[in-house]
Amino acid sequence: MLRIRRFEEKAAELYTQGKIRGFLHLCIGEEAVSVGTLAALSASDNVVSTYREHGHALARGVPMAALMAELFGKVTGCCRGRGGSMHFFDVGRRFYGGNAIVGGGLPLAVGLALADQMQQRAAITLCLFGDGAVAEGEFHEAMNLAALWRLPVLFLCENNLYAMGTHVARHQAQPDIARKADGYGVPAEAVNGMDLHAVETAVAAHGAAIRNGGGPRLIEARTYRFRAHSMYDPELYRTKAEVEQWKLRDPLPAFAATLRSAGRLDDAGFAALETEVAAEIAAAVAAAEAAAWEPLDGLVRDVYTADAPETTSCA
Ligand SMILES: Cc1ncc(C[n+]2csc(CCOP(=O)(O)OP(=O)(O)O)c2C)c(N)n1
């Protein structure tokens, strides 16, 4: 969680300096969902994410340097700097995006799970999406097909209450997202998305049920983003008091407190973690600064190609 938090704080700083361009959506406040979820999956599972995916990619083990370089638009980025913040991708780690289209990952996840089922590959597909995606047709089509074909998909809605500036109660006739699974006969659960342990426990349990042939499941992780929707958002739709109230539930100090009371972390240990993370970030930034841009003659590479895309992992 600390790596994700500090990585994103640095990204925001670099963005204001003009080093990172395009869109930048931070997941600060939602780290317990990234870490708790990915900790409960195995390396052979598939992960399909959204445009707010920095935390998911880091928790999946995609190297920070490859992600930082991607933010900079450099050739050493996980997509050669072509995708930027919204399109982190690492096929070797079965991390299938980074997707700018709200709800766009849902059909992709169903396709991956169908392929696994047809090839009798033992894996589940984690499909992450926001509360805004639940208003899209893709959500219902994906739930329907996954349930009908009993596909090994774990749908995980990261409900941070807002789709850009619209509160979930203003775009959902039924704002209790977990209940939407009832219509498809899909078992579902809402969990405290600010609690790493609660998220990990739920994902492990539902993941095990899916692996045992139980068909798809839905988890609604109730969480909150402390920062604006993106770097361009004046946040006129919520009060500062509301944000401050949620910050009292910040998953990072909460988990640190749990570790402290269990005798597994003290001040010196926490300071050492901060130092380690700061060094990792500094190295990632320096490497991204020093890296080359995509050569001009490579600009149409992978746009139209007869060759299969590269399938190696990021270094
Ligand atoms: C199909 C589509 N419609 C609209 C948009 C514009 N848009 C970008 S983010 C967003 C809100 C999505 O909110 P949510 O799914 O709750 O994710 P969160 O930002 O809360 O993580 C919208 C409507 C888009 N990118 N794609």
Side-chain angles (χ1 to χ4, degrees), residues 17-230:
Q17 292 169 9
K19 302 265 185 185
I20 295 171
R21 279 166 283 179
F23 289 95
L24 187 73
H25 306 87
L26 305 178
C27 72
I28 289 175
E30 304 183 25
E31 295 93 339
V33 184
S34 295
V35 177
T37 300
L38 274 306
L41 294 190
S42 89
S44 56
D45 295 327
N46 309 309
V47 180
V48 179
S49 184
T50 68
Y51 56 84
R52 201 182 295 285
E53 87 282 31
H54 303 167
H56 306 149
L58 282 167
R60 184 56 173 179
V62 186
M64 186 187 283
L67 301 180
M68 190 62 85
E70 189 61 31
L71 293 182
F72 272 73
K74 296 295 183 75
V75 73
T76 47
C78 59
C79 300
R80 298 180 65 89
R82 292 156 167 272
S85 166
M86 298 200 284
H87 299 109
F88 288 174
F89 200 94
D90 184 341
V91 113
R93 290 181 179 80
R94 313 193 79 87
F95 188 81
Y96 297 100
N99 199 321
I101 306 300
V102 173
L106 284 145
L108 180 64
V110 169
L112 285 163
L114 178 61
D116 284 344
Q117 187 186 66
M118 292 173 80
Q119 293 167 8
Q120 297 180 337
R121 199 179 151 266
I124 68 172
T125 296
L126 167 72
C127 181
L128 294 144
F129 51 96
D131 45 286
V134 175
E136 299 275 353
E138 276 116 325
F139 170 77
H140 301 279
E141 295 176 29
M143 291 286 287
N144 183 52
L145 286 182
L148 191 63
W149 296 336
R150 295 183 70 75
L151 298 179
V153 186
L154 177 57
F155 295 103
L156 197 142
C157 178
E158 227 168 328
N159 181 3
N160 61 14
L161 296 182
Y162 294 95
M164 294 183 90
T166 308
H167 192 276
V168 65
R170 293 189 67 206
H171 66 77
Q172 291 298 310
Q174 169 51 273
D176 189 340
I177 290 170
R179 285 196 59 195
K180 289 176 185 292
D182 294 351
Y184 301 98
V186 169
E189 184 185 354
V191 296
N192 177 0
M194 307 305 269
D195 179 342
L196 192 158
H197 183 63
V199 174
E200 186 177 354
T201 304
V203 172
H206 290 285
I210 297 168
R211 285 181 217 286
N212 287 336
R217 300 283 180 120
L218 170 74
I219 294 176
E220 176 194 353
R222 294 183 176 160
T223 182
Y224 199 77
R225 60 171 161 74
F226 297 162
R227 297 290 185 105
H229 165 74
S230 72

